[in-house]
Amino acid sequence: EAGVAQSPRYKIIEKRQSVAFWCNPISGHATLYWYQQILGQGPKLLIQFQNNGVVDDSQLPKDRFSAERLKGVDSTLKIQPAKLEDSAVYLCASSLGVGAKNIQYFGAGTRLSVL
Amino acid sequence: QQQVKQSPQSLIVQKGGIPIINCAYENTAFDYFPWYQQFPGKGPALLIAIRPDVSEKKEGRFTISFNKSAKQFSLHIMDSQPGDSATYFCAAHLSGNTPLVFGKGTRLSVIA
């Protein structure tokens, strides 16, 4: 079974530029999450999708971050314009979305450096 | 507000030792407590998980101890090996389709 795929693996941009990250979840997984992991901290949820609908985006800085999940499969996370404090690893995770355990499987992440 | 507090921040043990990582949570509605292991350049991977209706769970060399009244849980790694060197995150979430709330992580180094 293929895991969660993310691209690119690394991205370096100047502040105020825009950037986009892509995620392909495990086949059949209805729920998709984007987490932000700042160096030395645990991942923090940015947004959760159930199929192609948003379940929770309460912690997404909507003035600069946007995300979509077209057709309930792949997802894209965009930052425009980027700030220095956006430097982090952006992790995508997916889960079946049913059952009490609801195990989340993570991709390798995209490491963003904003200069 | 940090809902899951994890300690220590880093830990160095000798091969064969038993590192212990502790976590405390605040939200009594949490009912699923997984531990994730993360190697450099990789995403977190589920290691072991527990529900609050049991006090201990073992899987291979990894054991979770859970104290519901104290709202604390811990990870023990028996006979630790250099290959266990990684960052470990405790997490918690409500039942069902909800996001994980992570601790800040513990960087473990097992030296030969």
Side-chain angles (χ1 to χ4, degrees):
Chain A
E1 180 183 77
V4 176
Q6 290 189 246
S7 68
R9 288 298 313 276
Y10 307 93
K11 192 73 177 177
I12 300 173
I13 62 172
E14 304 262 336
K15 61 182 179 183
R16 291 188 289 275
Q17 286 186 323
S18 62
V19 64
F21 313 128
W22 173 83
C23 172
N24 180 238
I26 293 173
S27 177
H29 280 194
T31 307
L32 185 147
Y33 308 82
W34 283 101
Y35 289 87
Q36 180 192 57
Q37 186 176 20
I38 293 173
L39 185 65
Q41 297 186 22
K44 185 187 80 171
L45 179 75
L46 289 174
I47 189 167
Q48 176 185 348
F49 291 95
Q50 177 72 17
N51 296 309
N52 61 349
V54 175
V55 174
D56 183 354
D57 64 356
S58 58
Q59 298 185 74
L60 186 74
K62 298 181 187 64
D63 57 333
R64 299 184 300 107
F65 286 64
S66 65
E68 59 183 7
R69 190 181 184 197
L70 299 176
K71 301 179 181 178
V73 181
D74 293 4
S75 178
T76 302
L77 176 69
K78 296 180 181 177
I79 308 175
Q80 182 178 12
K83 292 186 175 181
L84 296 176
E85 59 261 35
D86 298 332
S87 294
V89 175
Y90 290 84
L91 294 164
C92 179
S94 70
S95 68
L96 282 171
V98 294
K101 289 185 180 179
N102 194 33
I103 296 172
Q104 295 182 28
Y105 298 87
F106 285 81
T110 296
R111 182 177 295 277
L112 173 67
S113 296
V114 182
L115 308 178
Chain B
Q1 181 186 14
Q2 185 186 352
Q3 296 191 59
V4 179
K5 294 183 179 180
Q6 182 172 348
S7 63
Q9 199 170 14
S10 63
L11 192 53
I12 301 174
V13 299
Q14 295 274 355
K15 177 183 174 183
I18 306 175
I20 301 173
I21 304 170
N22 301 298
C23 285
Y25 63 97
E26 299 169 6
N27 187 348
T28 54
F30 288 144
D31 71 350
Y32 185 62
F33 301 88
W35 284 88
Y36 279 79
Q37 180 188 55
Q38 185 175 30
F39 292 103
K42 304 289 186 182
L46 180 65
L47 190 62
I48 186 173
I50 196 168
R51 292 202 172 281
D53 53 349
V54 298
S55 59
E56 186 176 276
K57 183 174 182 180
K58 291 183 181 180
E59 286 187 5
R61 296 184 293 108
F62 300 92
T63 299
I64 301 178
S65 298
F66 192 89
N67 185 329
K68 187 175 181 178
S69 60
K71 295 188 288 184
Q72 295 175 346
F73 58 110
S74 60
L75 176 70
H76 302 230
I77 306 176
M78 309 301 288
D79 187 27
S80 58
Q81 301 296 314
D84 296 329
S85 298
T87 299
Y88 292 81
F89 293 96
C90 61
H93 76 86
L94 306 173
S95 63
N97 201 15
T98 59
L100 292 161
V101 177
F102 285 89
K104 288 191 173 183
T106 297
R107 180 174 289 188
L108 172 66
S109 297
V110 182
I111 55 177

